[in-house]
Amino acid sequence: MPDPPRFVTVDDYEALAREVLTPAVTEFLAGGAGDERTLASNRRAFDRWVLRPRFLRGVAAADPSTELFGSPLALPVLIAPWAYQRTAHPEGERATARAAARAGTIMCVSTTALDLLEDIAAASGSPKWWQLYVFADRGFTAEMLRRVSSAGYAALVWTIDLNAYGLRHRETRVGYEPPISLTTQDLAYDPSIDWDDLGWIREQAPGLPLLLKGILTADDAELAVAAGADGIVVSNHGGRQLDGSPASLDVLPEVLEMVGGRIPVLVDGGVRRGTDIVKALALGASSVMIGRPAAWGLAAGGEDGVVDVLQILREELENAMTLCGCATVGDITREHVAPAPDG
Ligand SMILES: Cc1cc2nc3c(=O)[nH]c(=O)nc-3n(C[C@H](O)[C@H](O)[C@H](O)COP(=O)(O)O)c2cc1C
């Protein structure tokens, strides 16, 4: 008898990653801010919705492919920017880049990536996005954005929710020390960023779609659209910034209502299952992003681990779509979710 497959779900990868990582790196990856109420709420928010499957629609198989800013995606799941990937696996961001390419999706590379942004860009031939933190040294930021453009990154994701570092008590308790990034040499971020900076960022990287990541209110969504953002990522940074801020999925409907289809709205935080992806898309998200699932996959299995995590989510998504009567991503609509009776 062959051994049963060991990795059936994303959570199985978390368990193995915890076995191979040092306690300090595990706490860095897993932890949230404060009492981790927001971190926990990101998961619970998916339980506040139930799926409404529709049958007898002749759906024998589902195709989860989609498209964002002109790039085809094999599935509506992008890899969220997450820092210091070489601490989880020696191949770091380059392994994640190759995995995203193999799975047919996009990796968003963090400003805090440990390798040079050009080397990560060259690790695979597929489109990648660059996540931006604006540094107090604007000359350096401008030069970094020039390098991002010439290295071929296809979009910018400006993370707006880190004008201060969240209170990550797990990191403090284990004495976690962040490593030095080759690209940034760990300069200080500019804590005084504001809406006027959006125009300045655009000028440094003309022609690249600019998404704002960290939006948690309809009001900020409206300001983002008015300021000319090309997309929004509804996110609370995986519960790592302001504890007590809402679950991303809980604010997704108000953001979508305000945006009214003018620009794509993505969401991240707590996505662990194909059914979570269907719920987010049924509410109106264009795509989801995953942070920790990719981190667990990388730690446990390197490039292959990340590919497998994406494959697990893909198979779960296909199964959930088929059982909901959705042959394509476009078939997933608001009729496929309802508030949970006990939610
Ligand atoms: C270890 C770790 C590092 C992260 N680093 C960054 C970062 O450098 N830039 C950023 O915009 N978001 C960062 N995030 C937040 C992710 O982009 C994403 O919003 C979050 O992980 C989504 O929640 P999930 O982990 O539940 O999927 C990080 C998240 C984790 C877990």
Side-chain angles (χ1 to χ4, degrees):
M1 282 277 285
D3 287 336
R6 191 162 169 210
F7 304 119
V8 181
T9 68
V10 167
D11 287 349
D12 293 343
Y13 267 96
E14 173 170 354
L16 181 65
R18 284 175 178 274
E19 283 173 28
V20 300
L21 291 169
T22 64
V25 174
T26 301
E27 297 294 61
F28 168 67
L29 296 179
D35 294 316
E36 303 190 338
R37 292 198 171 98
T38 299
L39 175 67
S41 185
N42 275 349
R43 278 300 299 136
R44 280 205 306 271
F46 286 96
D47 295 335
R48 293 193 264 274
W49 295 94
V50 288
L51 292 168
R52 298 183 68 241
R54 302 299 309 276
F55 298 110
L56 298 177
R57 292 191 167 181
V59 177
D63 172 7
S65 65
T66 185
E67 178 263 330
L68 262 182
F69 301 107
S71 295
L73 293 172
L75 72 171
V77 180
L78 285 80
I79 299 184
W82 63 278
Y84 311 134
Q85 299 190 10
R86 214 180 328 113
T87 61
H89 187 274
E91 301 266 312
E93 282 85 9
R94 283 164 295 136
T96 304
R98 289 193 297 266
R102 278 170 60 193
T105 189
I106 289 174
M107 170 197 191
C108 183
V109 181
S110 169
T111 284
T112 59
L114 290 177
D115 289 325
L116 288 173
L117 66 89
E118 290 83 359
D119 292 346
I120 304 164
S124 81
S126 306
K128 290 165 207 79
W129 293 0
W130 180 258
Q131 177 265 322
L132 171 71
Y133 287 131
V134 171
F135 295 94
D137 184 337
R138 291 302 175 102
F140 177 85
T141 312
E143 172 63 9
M144 184 180 79
L145 287 174
R146 193 197 55 71
R147 288 169 54 195
V148 165
S149 295
S150 54
Y153 286 84
L156 287 182
V157 177
W158 181 25
T159 299
I160 60 170
D161 62 7
L162 207 123
N163 52 331
Y165 197 74
L167 301 179
R168 320 239 180 112
H169 301 318
R170 293 207 219 184
E171 291 175 24
T172 310
R173 288 201 179 99
V174 292
Y176 178 78
E177 285 290 341
I180 304 277
S181 155
L182 280 182
T183 291
T184 68
Q185 303 291 326
D186 280 6
L187 301 165
Y189 302 139
D190 185 349
S192 65
I193 45 172
D194 66 24
W195 288 103
D196 292 336
D197 290 316
L198 195 141
W200 181 83
I201 292 166
R202 261 205 195 294
E203 283 167 24
Q204 315 312 313
L208 284 191
L210 177 57
L211 293 85
L212 263 56
K213 174 171 180 281
I215 298 274
L216 285 175
T217 58
D219 311 78
D220 277 351
E222 181 54 32
L223 289 171
V225 175
D230 298 298
I232 283 174
V233 185
V234 176
S235 172
N236 52 37
H237 215 111
R240 299 162 76 81
Q241 284 296 96
L242 178 64
D243 196 32
S245 61
S248 331
L249 195 77
D250 283 341
V251 292
L252 179 66
E254 75 168 68
V255 169
L256 282 160
E257 196 183 339
M258 181 65 96
V259 171
R262 287 174 286 174
I263 54 174
V265 175
L266 288 71
V267 65
D268 74 16
V271 173
R272 301 291 180 270
R273 286 289 197 172
T275 49
D276 298 338
I277 304 166
V278 174
K279 288 176 186 177
L281 265 59
L283 290 171
S286 297
S287 182
V288 303
M289 288 184 143
I290 51 164
R292 292 180 187 83
W296 303 134
L298 183 68
E303 176 185 332
D304 288 344
V306 180
V307 171
D308 199 34
V309 161
L310 287 162
Q311 180 64 19
I312 287 169
L313 288 174
R314 185 197 167 94
E315 285 172 13
E316 289 186 0
L317 173 61
E318 286 175 359
N319 181 260
M321 285 174 67
T322 307
L323 288 170
C324 282
C326 300
T328 68
V329 163
D331 292 341
I332 307 173
T333 65
R334 188 63 182 72
E335 71 159 355
H336 293 103
V337 278
D342 55 356

